[in-house]
Amino acid sequence: MTRAEDRPAFYAGGAGTGGMRDWVTLLHPPYTAWHLSYVAIGAALAPHFAAWRLGGTLVAFFLAVGVGAHALDELAGRPLQTGIPGAALVTAAGVGIAGAVVAGLLYGGLRLLPFVVVGAVLVLAYNLELGRGILHNGVGFALGWGAFPVLTGYYAQDFRLGTAAVLAAAAAFFLSLGQRALSLPARTLRRRTQSVHGRLVHRDGGQVDLDRNVLLGPLEGALRAVAGGLVMLAAAMVASRL
C-alpha cells in the first residue's frame, strides 16, 4: 500500500486499480464539500429559504464540480493516479455536467439559464484550459469555485440577488484565492518533488531539519481546517433557516 506521504493528495485513498476507492478519491471529498458549502451559505442568506431548493442546487453543483470537473481534471495527466478507465472518466464528465445543466433548466427555465450557461462555461473553460487557459488561473478558480456557487445558491432560492449575496461571494472569492495559494505548493510537494533538504535555524540557535513532510504539514493542515470550518459554518447557517 502507498505510504500516506507518497499519495498524490492527502485525501487520496485509492489503489490505482479503478475501484471504488479511486472513485471516492476522484471526488476530492474535502474540496467538494468546501465548494458545496458556498452554495449552502448563499442559500441561507436569501430572504426566502426553501430546503428543497437548496437540495436541488447542491445536487447540481455536486454533479458539475464534484463529478464532471474532477473527471476532466483526472483525464488531463492523471494527477490523482487513479486507474479509472479514460472512457469512464469521459462518461462521468459528460453525465455530470449535462445532468447539472438539465437540472438547472428543469427547475429555473429561462430565469436560471444565465447561471446554467455561465456555470458550464466556467467548468469547461477552466478544466479544459480553453481560450489559451484564460480562466485557468487563481482568479478563474476563485470566480468559478468560490464566488459563483454563492451567487447561484442565493439566486436559486427566489431568482433575485441582493447585497448580502455579493458580499458573501466576495468573501468566497478571497477564500478561494487562499485555498489555491495553499494547495498549489502542496500539490507540487506531493506530485513533483522527489526530496527536500534543508535546515531552519532559529535566532535562539535551535534548528529544525526540513523535509517534504515538514513543509506539507502546515499547508495541508490549514486546508483541512478551513474545509471543515466552512462546512460547519454552512451547516449552522442552514440550520438557522429551518
Side-chain angles (χ1 to χ4, degrees), residues 26-48:
L26 179 73
L27 297 177
H28 298 58
Y31 293 148
T32 295
W34 183 326
H35 300 302
L36 291 182
S37 72
Y38 291 144
V39 177
I41 288 171
L45 288 171
H48 303 97

Side-chain angles (χ1 to χ4, degrees), residues 112-140:
L112 204 57
L113 179 61
F115 282 81
V116 171
V117 172
V118 170
V121 169
L122 286 170
V123 168
L124 294 174
Y126 184 87
N127 286 279
L128 297 178
E129 299 188 36
L130 301 179
R132 297 183 180 179
I134 189 172
L135 289 178
H136 195 84
N137 50 51
V139 172

Side-chain angles (χ1 to χ4, degrees), residues 177-194:
L177 285 181
Q179 176 188 354
R180 200 167 190 269
L182 292 168
S183 63
L184 278 178
R187 291 203 304 267
T188 298
L189 285 167
R190 279 193 175 272
R191 302 173 189 177
R192 299 172 56 190
T193 303
Q194 180 175 344

